[in-house]
Amino acid sequence: MISFKTRPQHRRKTSMQRRNLRVASLEGIPAVMFMTLLGGQFLTGYLLYLGASSGEIGFVLAITTFVNIVQIFAAYLIQRLRSRKWTLVLFVAVHRVIWGSTGLVPFIVPKPYWVPAFIVLYTVAFMFNTLGGILWNSLISDMVHPKVRGRYFGIRNTILNALGTLVMYGGGVILDHEPGGKGFLLLYIIVWVCIAANIAVFFFYPDIPFERSSEKRFIPMLKKPLRDASFLKATLFLAGFLFLQNLVVPLYSYVMLEMLHINYQTLSLLNVLQTVSMMASFYVWGNLNVRHSNRRLLFWTLPIIALSCLCWGLLSVLPMLPVLIAAHMIFGIGVGGFNQLAFNFMIGDTPKAERPMYMAMYAAITGVAAFFGPLIGGNLYELIGHWPEWTRIYGVQIVVGLSMLLLTVSLGRKILRNS
C-alpha cells in the first residue's frame, strides 16, 4: 500500500517540475522575439531614424544597466510579498507595454521631441523591468532544480538564441526592403503580437513559496553581501571589466551603420554569426563547468572578450568583412560563457535565503559601471569626431581591448582564478 501511495506522488511531483520548465521555456519564445526586434542593431537603427546623436544613443544603451540599482530596494520589498508570481506579472506587463509604446512616438509626438520622448518611455519601461528581473531570477531559481540547472539553461539558451538569430535576420531583411518608418512600423506590429503572447504565458507560472531572509530590516539585509569579501571583490572586479567592455561593444552597431556603411541585412548576418558562436559555446562552457568552478571559468572568458575587441585593429590590414566576422564570433564565444557563468555564480554561489539581495547587489554594482561605459563611449565618439577616421573605427577598440587584458592578468588572476 505504501508503494502505491508514494509512486504516484513522485510522478505528480516530477510532472509538476516538468510543467514548470515547459512554461518557462515557452515564455522565452515570444520574449526573445520582441527583445531581439527592439534591441541591439534595431534599437540603434530606430534611434538613428528618430534623429539621435551618438551621445544620445550611448545614453539609451546605458540606462538599462543604471536602473538596476533599483533592485536593491526590490530585494528588500519582495521579502514582504505574499505572491511573487502576480507581482512579477504586473511588472512584466507594464514593462512590455511601455517599451512597445516607443513605436508610437513618431505618430503622437512632434518631431523635435522624438528622441526625448523615446528616452523617457524607455527609462520608465526598464525601471519596471529591473523590478521584474529580480523577481524572475528569484522565482526561476526555485523552479529549476539545482541538479538540472546547468543542463536546462544550456538547452533553453541554445533554443532561444537559435530563434533569436532567425528573428534578427528576418528583421534585417524587413528594414532593407522597407527602409525608414514603414520598416520599423512592420517590426513594431510583430513586437506587439509577441508582447501579448509573452504576458499571457506568465499567467501560467507557478506561485512557489520562497525562503525569506533571516533579517527583517533593510540595512542589516543590505550589509550581508557587502560583508561577504569574496563575493564583493569578484563583483567589483567584474564591474570594472564590464565598464571597459561597454565603452565600445554597445556602439558596434553605430560604428558599422554610420562609419562603415553596412546595411541592415549584413549587420544581421554578423549578429547571427555571433549568436551561433554563443550557442555553440554554451555546450563547451557547460561541460567545463562540471570540472571547474564558476569563478575560474569566468576568468577564462575575459581574455576572449578582450581579444574580440583587439580583432578590430585588423581592419587596418585586412578586408572588412572577414575581420568583422572573426570579431563577432570570438565575442560570441566569450560573452556566451560570461553570461552563463555569471548567472550560475549568482544563483549557485550565494546563500539561498539571502539570494535576492545578493542578486540585487551584483546587478546594482555592475549596472552602475555598465551605465557609464556606453555613456562615456558615446560622448567619446563625439569628442574625437575631428580625429582621423581610423581612430573612431578601430582605434578606440584597440585601446579598450588592451586595457581589458591588463585588468584581467593583474587583478582578475588574483580575484577569480585563485578563489
Side-chain angles (χ1 to χ4, degrees), residues 60-71:
V60 171
L61 297 175
I63 196 65
T64 57
T65 54
F66 182 75
V67 295
N68 281 341
I69 197 170
V70 178
Q71 288 196 15

Side-chain angles (χ1 to χ4, degrees), residues 62-368:
I63 196 65
T64 57
T65 54
F66 182 75
V67 295
N68 281 341
I69 197 170
V70 178
Q71 288 196 15
I72 292 177
F73 304 100
Y76 171 71
L77 293 175
I78 67 171
Q79 303 293 332
R80 283 151 175 74
L81 293 177
R82 292 185 178 181
S83 170
R84 281 183 296 181
K85 170 187 172 177
W86 294 112
T87 309
L88 172 63
V89 171
L90 174 63
F91 287 151
V92 161
V94 174
H95 163 251
R96 274 45 166 175
V97 170
I98 296 179
W99 194 9
S101 297
T102 56
L104 300 176
V105 167
F107 298 99
I108 61 176
V109 178
K111 190 170 184 178
Y113 303 104
W114 280 4
V115 175
F118 178 93
I119 291 174
V120 170
L121 289 172
Y122 192 79
T123 303
V124 174
F126 276 86
M127 288 283 288
F128 283 94
N129 182 63
T130 197
L131 294 170
I134 193 168
L135 285 166
W136 187 85
N137 286 333
S138 173
L139 189 57
I140 200 70
S141 65
D142 290 340
M143 288 170 61
V144 185
H145 195 279
K147 289 183 178 180
V148 300
R149 193 173 284 157
R151 183 182 180 190
Y152 169 74
F153 283 115
I155 295 173
R156 183 180 189 268
N157 290 341
T158 300
I159 294 172
L160 295 183
N161 277 281
L163 175 62
T165 59
L166 296 175
V167 174
M168 188 183 302
Y169 179 73
V173 172
I174 290 173
L175 288 182
D176 278 338
H177 282 78
E178 298 290 348
K182 186 176 180 180
F184 285 111
L185 176 62
L186 293 174
L187 292 189
Y188 269 96
I189 291 173
I190 299 171
V191 161
W192 271 104
V193 173
C194 294
I195 285 175
N198 182 241
I199 294 173
V201 177
F202 269 105
F203 280 80
F204 295 93
Y205 262 57
D207 199 3
I208 303 173
F210 69 110
E211 185 176 340
R212 301 177 187 273
S213 171
S214 57
E215 296 290 348
K216 303 299 181 185
R217 294 174 297 167
F218 176 70
I219 297 300
M221 192 182 299
L222 180 68
K223 287 181 178 178
K224 287 205 170 185
L226 295 176
R227 288 174 175 169
D228 189 333
S230 178
F231 166 81
L232 190 59
K233 286 180 182 178
T235 300
L236 289 172
F237 166 74
L238 293 175
F241 188 89
L242 287 172
F243 167 76
L244 292 173
Q245 175 183 306
N246 281 12
L247 282 171
V248 292
V249 173
L251 294 163
Y252 280 175
S253 294
Y254 171 77
V255 173
M256 288 185 285
L257 288 170
E258 286 292 287
M259 300 176 194
L260 297 179
H261 306 292
I262 292 176
N263 60 35
Y264 282 102
Q265 193 166 339
T266 303
L267 185 55
S268 294
L269 284 173
L270 289 171
N271 285 320
V272 166
L273 287 173
Q274 177 179 304
T275 306
V276 170
S277 300
M278 186 188 307
M279 289 161 49
S281 76
F282 287 150
Y283 179 79
V284 177
W285 291 115
N287 285 339
L288 290 173
N289 207 187
V290 176
R291 301 192 299 272
H292 303 287
S293 69
N294 291 320
R295 295 186 186 212
R296 187 178 184 88
L297 289 178
L298 264 175
F299 170 81
W300 286 112
T301 66
L302 306 183
I304 298 175
I305 296 173
L307 177 62
S308 71
C309 294
L310 293 174
C311 279
W312 282 71
L314 296 175
L315 288 172
S316 60
V317 293
L318 295 176
M320 178 180 67
L321 198 56
V323 172
L324 294 179
I325 288 173
H328 279 75
M329 292 182 70
I330 293 171
F331 182 73
I333 294 170
V335 80
F338 182 91
N339 291 340
Q340 185 167 314
L341 293 161
F343 184 73
N344 290 343
F345 163 62
M346 285 308 307
I347 67 174
D349 294 1
T350 54
K352 183 177 180 180
E354 310 301 330
R355 190 169 293 154
M357 186 57 76
Y358 270 78
M359 288 180 172
M361 188 59 65
Y362 175 86
I365 293 175
T366 57
V368 169

Side-chain angles (χ1 to χ4, degrees), residues 347-394:
I347 67 174
D349 294 1
T350 54
K352 183 177 180 180
E354 310 301 330
R355 190 169 293 154
M357 186 57 76
Y358 270 78
M359 288 180 172
M361 188 59 65
Y362 175 86
I365 293 175
T366 57
V368 169
F371 166 77
F372 286 104
L375 185 64
I376 294 174
N379 284 283
L380 178 62
Y381 275 101
E382 289 187 358
L383 290 174
I384 65 174
H386 61 285
W387 287 20
E389 192 176 46
W390 70 267
T391 60
R392 290 173 290 143
I393 293 176
Y394 58 82

